[in-house]
Amino acid sequence: MLYPINTESRAVIDLSGIWTLQLEKEGNDCNPRNPLKKGYSVAVPGSFNDQLVEQDVRTHIGNIWYETTFSIPHYLKDNRLVLRFGSVTHSAQVYLNGELITEHKGGFTPFEVEVSSTIKPGENRLTVCVSNIIDYTTLPVGVYSEEVVDGKTVKKVSENFDFFNYAGIHRPVKLYTTPKTFIEDVAVAYEVSGEQAQVSVQTFIQGEYDNVRVTLFNEDNERVATGEGKEAELTIEAVRQWEPLDSYLYTVKVEVTAPNDTDIYHLPVGIRTVEVKGSQFLINNKPFYFKGFGKHEDTYLHGRGLNEPSNVLDLNLMKQMGANSFRTSHYPYSEEMMRLADREGFVVIDETPAVSLYAGFNVQFDGEEPNTWDEMQTKEAHELVLKEMVERDKNHACVVMWSVANEPATHHEGAREYFEPLIELTRSLDPQNRPVTIVYNMEALPGQELTHDLVDVICLNRYYSWYLQTADLKAGEKALRDELKEWEQKDLNKPFLFTEYGADTVSGLHSVQDIPFTEEFQVHYYEMYHKVFDEFPFIVGEQVWNFADFETKVGTGRVQGNKKGIFNRAREPKMIAYFLKQRWLNIPEFDYHLKK
Ligand code: BDP
C-alpha cells in the first residue's frame, strides 16, 4: 500500500485536528445515522486516554465514537477520492454521512476506502466507531470479560502485554486524490553485483493504461536509470548503497499514462542487501552488529498517537549514543517513523502486534499450565497483520528483518504447527526476501524451544539478575553464560541477537550497593551482560530494553509505568546512557568480532 503524498497527479487533504468523541456505555448508545451528541473534544491523531481527565474515561473499554465534518473543493470532484487511516487501534467501523463505508481489524496498519461516489458536495460527516476490546482472537491478545456493576454491564480487558492499552485514531486521517487510472502499489527489489545494481520495479495498476515509465533519480535529482512497463528493469551503473547510519536514497518515479490522464508517484528507495550467512548477519555483504533499542510508540499526552517531534528526537538521541538500530516492539510503527528511519539510516526489525501469545501470561490456573496453542485463536489475525505489515513496509531500506512475534509460548506443544505456516507466509510475501525471526522469552531455552530451526536469527529476551536471580549479578552472569554455552554446543550455525535485557531504574535513585531500581545497578547490570556477550562471536548485536520509560497498566511491579528506559519518559538520560554511549561508539557497525 502506497503512502499518500502530493505529486503532479495527486493531492492530499489532512483531516487531522479536533474531532468530537463520545464513549459508548450501556444507556448511552451512539447511532451514526445522527450526528454525535456534543461530546468531548479530542485531538486526532492521538490516543484519547491521556487527553481527557476522568479516570473512568481513561480506562474505558468498549466503543469510542469519533466524528468530524469536512468539505472538499469542487475542483477535485472529477478525481478518484480515497479516505485513508494510518491506524485506528484496535478496530474501526467508518461511516460517511451515516452509511457504513468500511471496517478494519488491527490497530497498527493503514486501511483505505474509495469515496468518490459517496462523498457529497458541501459538508460531509465522518464518524468512526473505534473499539479497544482485545481477546484471544485479536492481536495483541488480552482476556476479555464483562461484569455487572450497579445494574450495568461493564466491559473489561486484561492485557497479555506490558504496555498501556492506548487506543483511538492513532495516525493521520487523509483524503487523497488519484486519476481514474491509478498506481495501486509499487514493489522494488534489486540485486547488486560489484558497482552495478539491477533494480526491478513492479507497478500494480487499476484501470486501462497506455504505458508505464519508470525513472530513477539520485539525491542530486539527476536521472540515473530508466525503464518501461509494469515489470521494469533498471540498471544503476555505479550504485551508492544505503548503509547503516549513512543512508542514501534514490527516488523511483513511476508514471502511468492512460488515455486521458497520467498518474505519478515518487518512492524513496535505498539500495542495500541483507543476508544471513552462517552465524553472521550481513548488510551489503559485511557482518553487521546491531546496537540499539527495543522501543515503544509512547509519549506524554499523545499516548501511542503519532508524535513526530518525539520520533525525530528519539533517533537523534540514538545516533548520539552510537546506536544504529531498533525493533518496532511490539507492533508496526507509523509509516512516518519508517520513512524517517530510511532517511536517517537506522536499521529496523519490523514486528507484528503478536506479543505474549502465552496462555499462562494472564490467568490464574490450578495445576497444569493451559496449552497456549489450544487456547489462542489468533491465526486469522496473525495472517492478516503479516500481510498488511509486509505489504506496507516491503520497500523500506531500513527494514532488515521481520519479527513474526514477541515472546510467544514456543515451548508449548503446537508452537511449530502454529508458526511454520506464518513464517512461510512472511517469506512468500516479501519481494526482498528478508530474514524472518521470532523473539524468544525466558522459557525458550535450549532443549525446550520448539521453533528455532524455522527462523533465520535467534532473538533472545533475557532478564537474568532481574526477574531471575534478582539483584545477584554473579548468579545472573553465570546463568547467562551457561545458557549461551548450551546454545553454542547445539552448533546451530545461526546468528544470535539480544533483543531485550534490562532493569527497571527510577531516575535519581542512587546507591553504593547493587540495589535494584538505582541508576548504579542499571549500569552494573549492563556491564555484566556486555562482558558475557563479548565472549560469544555468534552474537550479532544488542538491543537494550527499553529506549525510554513507558506507560503500562497499574500493578505492584510497575512504578507509574515500566522504568527500564535508558532515558526517562521525558527523554532525559539516566546514568547508563553515558556508559552505553561509550561502549557503542567503540563498536563499529561492521566486523565487530574481527576487530575486537
Ligand atoms: C518482556 C516483554 C516486554 C516487557 C519486558 C519487561 O517483551 O514487553 O516490557 O519483558 O518486563 O517480557 O520489562
Side-chain angles (χ1 to χ4, degrees), residues 41-94:
S41 296
V42 69
V44 170
S47 299
F48 74 89
N49 312 76
D50 290 352
Q51 297 184 47
L52 309 168
V53 289
E54 297 95 334
Q55 171 103 9
D56 59 336
V57 171
R58 184 171 194 262
T59 53
H60 170 84
I61 295 292
N63 286 340
I64 306 119
W65 290 80
Y66 280 73
E67 194 163 87
T68 190
T69 53
F70 65 92
S71 307
I72 54 150
H74 59 83
Y75 54 79
L76 293 180
K77 72 176 190 324
D78 293 334
N79 290 263
R80 183 176 160 265
L81 284 166
V82 183
L83 177 66
R84 187 186 196 275
F85 292 81
S87 74
V88 178
T89 313
H90 294 284
S91 67
Q93 291 176 324
V94 181

Side-chain angles (χ1 to χ4, degrees), residues 370-381:
N371 180 300
T372 300
W373 312 108
D374 295 338
E375 304 277 320
M376 297 287 159
Q377 296 144 44
T378 44
K379 183 173 180 278
E380 205 182 305

Side-chain angles (χ1 to χ4, degrees), residues 160-163 296 327 329-330 351 355-356 361 406-407 439-442 461-463 466-467 499-500 502-504 545-546 550 552 558 562-564:
N160 264 48
F161 46 84
D162 178 38
F163 47 90
H296 266 297
R327 173 169 61 119
S329 39
H330 297 306
E351 183 160 284
V355 43
S356 305
F361 189 90
N406 177 73
E407 299 202 344
V439 171
Y440 293 123
N441 65 8
M442 295 276 310
N461 292 353
R462 292 295 179 264
Y463 288 95
W466 186 253
Y467 293 122
T499 33
E500 282 186 33
D504 285 81
W545 190 254
N546 185 286
F550 57 91
T552 63
R558 294 289 173 260
N562 185 310
K563 291 281 186 279
K564 293 193 186 68

Side-chain angles (χ1 to χ4, degrees), residues 279-479:
S279 60
Q280 294 182 330
F281 192 98
L282 305 181
I283 297 185
N284 297 335
N285 275 324
K286 298 171 287 188
F288 178 68
Y289 195 83
F290 293 79
K291 301 174 282 179
F293 300 92
K295 271 181 91 348
H296 266 297
E297 289 188 317
D298 172 280
T299 56
Y300 286 118
L301 311 182
H302 298 248
R304 211 164 307 298
L306 177 67
N307 184 341
E308 295 209 83
S310 182
N311 286 349
V312 170
L313 174 64
D314 287 3
L315 295 197
N316 281 334
L317 288 170
M318 288 192 210
K319 245 186 201 175
Q320 198 194 32
M321 291 182 66
N324 56 21
S325 64
F326 64 92
R327 173 169 61 119
T328 71
S329 39
H330 297 306
Y331 34 80
Y333 287 3
S334 68
E335 292 158 289
E336 289 75 10
M337 183 56 145
M338 303 307 278
R339 288 167 75 91
L340 185 64
D342 273 349
R343 187 170 152 158
E344 295 296 321
F346 273 88
V347 169
V348 175
I349 301 168
D350 208 353
E351 183 160 284
T352 71
V355 43
S356 305
L357 293 181
Y358 193 167
F361 189 90
N362 224 348
V363 284
Q364 304 289 331
F365 51 88
D366 293 326
E368 214 181 308
E369 191 172 57
N371 180 300
T372 300
W373 312 108
D374 295 338
E375 304 277 320
M376 297 287 159
Q377 296 144 44
T378 44
K379 183 173 180 278
E380 205 182 305
H382 218 144
E383 286 170 352
L384 180 71
V385 76
L386 279 167
K387 199 169 158 286
E388 291 186 343
M389 177 176 80
V390 178
E391 211 166 76
R392 190 194 76 165
D393 290 344
K394 60 184 178 292
N395 294 320
H396 285 290
C398 66
V399 177
V400 300
M401 179 153 66
W402 309 108
S403 163
V404 174
N406 177 73
E407 299 202 344
T410 56
H411 59 299
H412 284 180
E413 219 39 72
R416 258 192 102 71
E417 291 70 15
Y418 181 85
F419 279 108
E420 194 163 14
L422 294 176
I423 289 170
E424 268 165 30
L425 173 69
T426 314
R427 294 192 198 285
S428 72
L429 290 166
D430 182 10
Q432 293 189 9
N433 202 21
R434 293 165 179 88
V436 180
T437 194
I438 295 173
V439 171
Y440 293 123
N441 65 8
M442 295 276 310
E443 276 87 0
L445 294 167
Q448 290 163 35
E449 206 299 305
L450 299 171
T451 64
H452 58 267
D453 60 311
L454 302 173
V455 299
D456 298 303
V457 177
I458 314 271
C459 289
L460 300 181
N461 292 353
R462 292 295 179 264
Y463 288 95
Y464 297 118
S465 294
W466 186 253
Y467 293 122
L468 303 179
Q469 309 93 18
T470 307
D472 187 340
L473 291 170
K474 278 216 176 84
E477 178 176 337
K478 180 173 181 321

